[in-house]
Amino acid sequence: MTNTDAPASAMKADLETMTSLAKRRGFVFPSSEIYGGFEATYDYGPLGVAMRRNIRDAWWRAMVQERGDIVGIEAAIVTAPRVWEASGHVDVFHDPMVDCLECHSRLRADHIEDGTCPECGSVGRFSEPRNFNLMMRTNVGPVEEGTPAYLRPETAQGMFVNFENVQQTTRKRLPFGIAQIGKSFRNEITVKQFIFRTREFEQMEMEFFCHPDDSMTWHVYWKKERLRWHYSLGIRPQHLRLRDHTPEELSHYSKGTSDVEVHYPWGWGELEGIAHRGDYDLRQHAKFSGKSLSYFDPDTNEHVIPHVVEPAVGVDRVMLTLMMDAYDEEVLDGGDKRVVLHFAPDVAPVAVAVLPLSRNDRLVPTAHRVWDVLRPHFRTQYDDAQSIGRRYRRQDEIGTPLCVTIDFDTIDDDAVTIRDRDTMAQVRVPVNGLVDELRTRLDSMRPQIPSIDEIEV
Ligand code: GAP
């Protein structure tokens, strides 16, 4: 199985549809909306928060919990500014920027095609390109002119500066990894595609330290593993591919990077970067801090500077990808349309909806009893507003895999109806045993993923 040449296959949702659904259903709100919003800044609503937790949990499970060779840390967002001098971000983390002399839009020079301003259409009317550093600055301390510092533009440096601390406290031998999930900040110039590129975002990054001789093998391994992870979330393989960076595209620290790319409606775009950072970062921090950041190999009695392979992905971008990939509009018998998000059960914000047939007083205690049984086991939502048909549509639209309906027969026979989102089939089952039945059904809705040997990169 190879994804390098995956055929382009259009997603059914465009950004406008997605932005509107996300707001209407409480996934993503424009930030500071009552004040007219704040460019490229978003707040996550109840369903968005649930989904982001699922994404983080899935990543942590795959990268830390299920492995013995990776440990986690949480480093500070604002660190000693020397960290960013050593990492190279102060000197080289910038984009070339121009101003349109007609409409005064500030644009990335490398995003301008055929000399035409994408905002106003004027041709060849730009200022000279200037380099614009993407790091957000702040001041630390109680006075306005306190010490200047930066909000981190990547979580990665937290792992490099803690390499020695982690290695010594865990006694890990090479190869081993350090993982972290947390917010990063960049003064991005072009921020157009909803939560695809924002100025505040959350990264899930892992630095895998290995012997230099093994680093290419590990790079290949991580490309395969990360592709498998995206499949495990349910992203359709035909919407994913791996693409190697050209030498001109490589970041200042990279010896080679492959991106996991997604075929979005606006073209292929980066979802995750898998970089071979060599020994760049450890050497830089050793030089700037004066500490020796080498590893003593007890097998060979030699000191080595480990090489690093880094899979790095954004929570926000994974969420957008999952929503766009899962979106479907189906025409039902009779001509009705239903909007469905075909989320995999582990990422769906709600796994099981509990729906009493009506708000009738006789039904409510039974429905609440069923809900009480389910809440400790699943992410649930109780919905009793409007007709049952409308409620099924609402649950389809937020991607809930299973609905449990409580009707008047439930009061007598203690059985409920399970309704499947994808097939819309309904089956009656006893409340006793309902948890196991739902678990089995959710398990059967999980994506099948290829073994690592079946993936070619
Ligand atoms: N430490 C390496 C690094 O930060 P990157 O390719 O710049 O590499 C890694 O970022 C991932 O973080 C990207 O693939 C993307 O998923 C996410 N990301 C980067 N910039 C982002 C932004 N402005 N908004 C949302 N996500 C972003």
Side-chain angles (χ1 to χ4, degrees):
M1 180 162 189
T2 174
N3 284 70
T4 317
D5 309 313
S9 168
M11 291 175 168
K12 284 200 184 165
D14 55 28
L15 265 185
E16 214 181 313
T17 312
M18 217 63 262
T19 311
S20 150
L21 187 154
K23 175 161 185 227
R24 196 172 64 251
R25 303 312 315 274
F27 285 89
V28 187
F29 306 126
S31 184
S32 323
E33 197 182 9
I34 59 168
Y35 291 99
F38 192 54
E39 194 190 29
T41 315
Y42 295 93
D43 296 339
Y44 290 94
L47 295 185
V49 167
M51 201 170 161
R52 287 164 66 80
R53 291 184 76 97
N54 297 342
I55 294 167
R56 287 191 211 106
D57 288 351
W59 190 87
W60 198 261
R61 209 168 39 240
M63 300 298 275
V64 180
Q65 186 188 322
E66 290 177 358
R67 306 181 59 102
D69 55 355
I70 300 179
V71 292
I73 62 162
E74 285 185 21
I77 288 175
V78 182
T79 58
R82 289 279 282 168
V83 170
W84 306 106
E85 290 170 27
S87 69
H89 285 81
V90 170
D91 284 338
V92 292
F93 190 56
H94 35 58
D95 282 340
M97 195 186 66
V98 292
D99 289 332
C100 172
L101 299 177
E102 289 296 330
C103 69
H104 307 294
S105 301
R106 188 151 284 179
L107 307 156
R108 263 177 70 167
D110 55 337
H111 283 184
I112 291 171
E113 286 177 15
D114 305 327
T116 306
C117 173
E119 295 299 325
C120 70
S122 66
V123 180
R125 298 269 299 137
F126 299 108
S127 62
E128 284 300 308
R130 277 186 302 135
N131 276 332
F132 176 75
N133 194 291
L134 299 182
M135 280 197 295
M136 281 200 195
R137 285 163 185 265
T138 186
N139 291 313
V140 177
V143 288
E144 266 179 35
E145 315 74 36
T147 314
Y150 303 99
L151 306 191
R152 65 181 175 198
E154 60 172 11
T155 63
Q157 296 304 321
M159 276 79 100
F160 295 122
V161 298
N162 280 295
F163 170 73
E164 197 177 57
N165 282 337
V166 173
Q167 199 273 324
Q168 286 178 0
T169 51
T170 61
R171 296 166 199 270
K172 287 277 178 208
R173 290 187 172 197
L174 291 188
F176 72 93
I178 309 180
Q180 174 167 212
I181 300 178
K183 291 269 188 170
S184 293
F185 301 82
R186 296 181 190 174
N187 254 327
E188 299 280 6
I189 299 164
T190 315
V191 275
K192 267 191 179 157
Q193 284 132 343
F194 192 31
I195 53 171
F196 181 81
R197 182 172 287 110
T198 49
R199 298 197 170 113
E200 172 181 342
F201 54 98
E202 187 157 11
Q203 289 188 305
M204 304 184 283
E205 300 197 286
M206 192 277 292
E207 311 302 320
F208 197 75
F209 299 89
C210 58
H211 195 281
D213 294 346
D214 304 332
S215 59
M216 293 315 287
T217 311
W218 281 112
H219 194 206
V220 172
Y221 168 86
W222 280 110
K223 287 193 234 180
K224 295 182 180 186
E225 268 307 74
R226 296 305 303 151
L227 208 46
R228 287 180 78 231
W229 185 76
H230 292 288
Y231 294 156
S232 78
L233 298 188
I235 303 174
R236 279 173 276 183
Q238 65 266 33
H239 290 163
L240 289 170
R241 72 174 184 188
L242 276 168
R243 186 184 68 81
D244 291 338
H245 280 207
T246 61
E248 301 75 51
E249 277 178 279
L250 288 177
S251 306
H252 60 278
Y253 51 72
S254 176
K255 280 173 166 314
T257 297
S258 295
D259 284 346
V260 176
E261 289 193 332
V262 175
H263 191 238
Y264 296 106
W266 59 88
W268 289 98
E270 173 187 342
L271 173 60
E272 167 156 0
I274 303 152
H276 186 318
R277 295 180 79 126
D279 57 10
Y280 174 85
D281 301 272
L282 288 182
R283 275 196 193 280
Q284 285 293 101
H285 287 301
K287 189 166 126 195
F288 277 69
S289 67
K291 303 262 184 221
S292 154
L293 296 179
S294 63
Y295 166 85
F296 178 71
D297 187 338
D299 296 329
T300 59
N301 278 345
E302 281 176 1
H303 284 272
V304 285
I305 310 271
H307 278 204
V308 173
V309 176
E310 173 201 68
V313 66
V315 176
D316 317 76
R317 213 171 272 189
V318 171
M319 179 171 160
L320 177 66
T321 306
L322 288 172
M323 292 184 77
M324 299 204 60
D325 180 68
Y327 184 90
D328 202 4
E329 286 174 13
E330 292 175 8
V331 180
L332 305 173
D333 294 346
D336 274 3
K337 191 181 91 172
R338 74 163 185 154
V339 170
V340 197
L341 291 177
H342 290 284
F343 285 143
D346 292 340
V347 298
V350 177
V352 180
V354 180
L355 314 177
L357 195 62
S358 73
R359 287 180 175 163
N360 184 292
D361 285 348
R362 285 181 56 224
L363 273 185
V364 172
T366 311
H368 272 262
R369 182 171 55 79
V370 172
W371 192 26
D372 290 345
V373 169
L374 300 184
R375 271 205 314 280
H377 303 280
F378 308 103
R379 296 178 304 282
T380 61
Q381 188 179 79
Y382 185 92
D383 186 4
D384 59 4
Q386 298 181 312
S387 75
I388 190 74
R390 284 189 153 207
R391 280 181 273 157
Y392 283 150
R393 292 289 168 277
R394 276 209 294 272
Q395 294 299 331
D396 290 342
E397 206 186 15
I398 64 168
T400 306
L402 300 173
C403 294
V404 168
T405 308
I406 295 96
D407 56 26
F408 288 98
D409 288 340
T410 310
I411 299 166
D412 301 324
D413 66 3
D414 210 30
V416 292
T417 303
I418 298 178
R419 185 259 192 186
D420 181 296
R421 172 196 66 201
D422 297 337
T423 62
M424 292 187 282
Q426 304 194 4
V427 55
R428 197 143 179 98
V429 299
V431 173
N432 182 10
L434 179 60
V435 168
D436 287 344
E437 181 63 34
L438 290 168
R439 266 215 187 99
T440 307
R441 286 173 181 271
L442 290 171
D443 276 349
S444 72
M445 294 169 92
R446 290 212 167 84
Q448 301 288 314
I449 54 168
S451 72
I452 192 159
D453 297 333
E454 287 173 283
I455 295 184
E456 291 169 27
V457 295

